Amino acid sequence: MNPNVSILAEIPEELHQSLKGYLDAHPEWDQDRVFAAALSLFLLQNGDNSTPESSRNYHQAARVYLETLFQHPV
């Protein structure tokens, strides 16, 4: 996987509680992995690959999503 970039984000308290519950029940996941999977899936579902640049971005998001989901480089 490529180098990581740190992002500071505010989320609703209810979402934070849900995330904590999920992480407690799934110790193989951590907050960073959840956010990477969620963000890359959002970009895949809402992306546009009609131009070469957007297509490249789409494929990069797909790679990050799969790597994050399965915890190994694709």
Side-chain angles (χ1 to χ4, degrees), residues 1 11 15-16 18-42 64-65 67-71:
M1 209 184 278
I11 60 173
L15 184 57
H16 183 255
S18 294
L19 176 60
K20 282 176 41 179
Y22 182 85
L23 295 176
D24 288 344
H26 299 87
E28 68 278 7
W29 283 79
D30 63 23
Q31 180 176 306
D32 293 334
R33 185 176 172 201
V34 170
F35 282 131
L39 181 56
S40 57
L41 181 58
F42 173 84
V64 169
Y65 178 69
E67 288 176 356
T68 302
L69 200 60
F70 298 109
Q71 289 190 324

